[in-house]
Amino acid sequence: MTEVEYGRRRRLLRVRGRNVAWVPPLLLLVGIVLLDLNTTERFRIITWIVLVPGTAAALCGVWTTGAFAVLAVVTYVAVDSAWPGEYQAGLGDFCLVAVGGLLAVVACAVRLRKERQTLHIQDIAETTRRTVLRPLPPRWAGLEHAGVYLAADVEARVGGDFYDIQPGPHGTRVLVGDVQGKGLGAVETAAALLGTFREAGYHEKDLATVAERLEIRMLRHRRHTTALGRADGDRFATAVLIGFPEDAPESIEVVNFGHEPPLAVGPHGVRELPGGDGLPLGFADLAGGLPPVHRVPLTDDETLLLVTDGVTEARDRRGDFYPLARRLAPVVATGAGRVEPRLLVRMVRDGVLRHCGGRLADDTTVFAVRRLRETRGIREAAGADGEHGEHVEQGEQGKRDERGDNG
């Protein structure tokens, strides 16, 4: 049972803030007693009262379940004694009701322990997710952004997709990527790359140097995990590294490590930025070097949309991929006011979930960002980052839906 499902059930069992989990087993007990007393001797169902503590075990706490177990035994004796001796259920059924109540109490204790363990594990997963994908202010470092991360494994709630924004003295940098594989190994790799990005993105002047640092970090991480005896020697990551330079407000720098090409969405249409002309992180030696840095125009009224392959490779029942560019056309047609990051991310998220029927085959990330028309300057934001930026909580983050939307 997931944390969301647990919370839903707890809310369903409350009326005006009061716990009413005891009502279903009590109604069941009353119904069995009334039916047994108002039928003939050929239809004795008082033994069914063993279902009462069993029902309580699934809904109530240990003490309430124990109370229903005792009540079931007492009620059984009282109702059965009201019948003539030849029609009484007898000692055998009494033992069944008594043992059933005892087992119900044990089952309830096991259930509650399992629920506590599940919630504890999910708390750990949530902490891990927030460590890898740190909360970001919705308006930060001269950028307005929104993002949503949907884990294919809903129980785990964390995977190999990652994104981050790092302001610095040389402009603001954005990184979106997808680590090959799943599980804790992919999460560890994503955390390693993000750590390097946050340092290099702040200190390094040239975006090409930041890209080089990411490649080196990927190689070092693979060597380390391989030395530990783990099968991570072939692990890689696709990524898009974007720089918003201070001296060029109408353009951005893009380095694409074999990732889905970013899309610029604006009032004049949807255009694709330079594609994955490089190999993923970890394979630069096979290509003879790192992918080039492209400088491309990006106006103030355009929103940059970055996704992982969980979006573009989402399939419907017929096996058709999600047509991202075609689905963006209605947004563009409504005008620039509809291209704000929050609405764009929400539209793509909902469209993907509808397209695949909610059955995600891979971790899915949608991230949208655009320049603010009025900013306080990247240098000022970078200084704030150095003092307290790591601890700022994102207001939208706390409003995520069941799948983790922070858009």
Side-chain angles (χ1 to χ4, degrees), residues 223-237:
R223 285 196 294 266
H224 177 257
T225 53
T226 301
L228 292 176
R230 288 155 46 182
D232 284 354
D234 295 328
R235 193 181 295 278
F236 61 89

Side-chain angles (χ1 to χ4, degrees), residues 4 19 41 84 144 154 166 182 185 233 243 261 264 279 288 333 366 382-383 388 402:
V4 171
N19 191 341
E41 66 278 2
E144 178 185 5
V154 180
Q166 181 57 56
K182 300 181 183 296
L279 294 181
V366 185
H388 59 268
E402 300 167 10

Side-chain angles (χ1 to χ4, degrees), residues 128 132 159-160 179 183-194 217 221 224-225 228 230 232 235:
T128 302
V132 176
V179 177
L184 293 179
V187 177
E188 185 180 2
T189 303
L193 291 174
L194 284 173
R217 186 69 181 96
H221 180 74
H224 177 257
T225 53
L228 292 176
R230 288 155 46 182
D232 284 354
R235 193 181 295 278

Side-chain angles (χ1 to χ4, degrees), residues 112-152:
L112 292 176
R113 181 180 180 183
K114 180 65 175 178
E115 287 179 356
R116 287 192 293 267
Q117 290 176 343
T118 300
L119 292 176
H120 178 64
I121 292 172
Q122 290 178 342
D123 284 342
I124 295 175
E126 177 66 14
T127 301
T128 302
R129 183 190 62 78
R130 291 175 66 86
T131 301
V132 176
L133 300 178
R134 62 177 178 176
L136 298 171
R139 293 171 176 261
W140 194 32
L143 300 178
E144 178 185 5
H145 76 90
V148 58
Y149 171 75
L150 308 177

Side-chain angles (χ1 to χ4, degrees), residues 11 62 81 169 187 199 228 239 263 272 285 330 337-338 374 397:
R11 288 193 296 270
V62 175
S81 300
V187 177
E199 289 300 312
L228 292 176
L263 298 177
E272 186 177 288
D285 55 336
R338 297 288 296 173
E374 297 179 1
Q397 188 87 8

Side-chain angles (χ1 to χ4, degrees), residues 134-148 163-165 174 303-304 340-342 345 367-372 394 396-397 406-407:
R134 62 177 178 176
L136 298 171
R139 293 171 176 261
W140 194 32
L143 300 178
E144 178 185 5
H145 76 90
V148 58
Y163 60 84
D164 202 5
I165 298 176
V174 174
T303 298
L304 197 61
E340 62 178 279
R342 180 177 58 87
V345 165
F367 189 77
V369 60
R370 70 177 178 182
R371 284 190 176 96
L372 290 171
Q394 181 176 357
E396 293 292 326
Q397 188 87 8
N406 76 331

Side-chain angles (χ1 to χ4, degrees), residues 64-89:
T64 304
T65 302
F68 273 110
V70 173
L71 182 61
V73 172
V74 173
T75 304
Y76 172 85
V77 173
V79 173
D80 198 43
S81 300
W83 286 83
E86 63 270 22
Y87 300 126
Q88 293 181 2

Side-chain angles (χ1 to χ4, degrees), residues 101-113:
L102 179 62
L103 293 178
V105 174
V106 174
C108 180
V110 173
R111 173 184 66 83
L112 292 176
R113 181 180 180 183

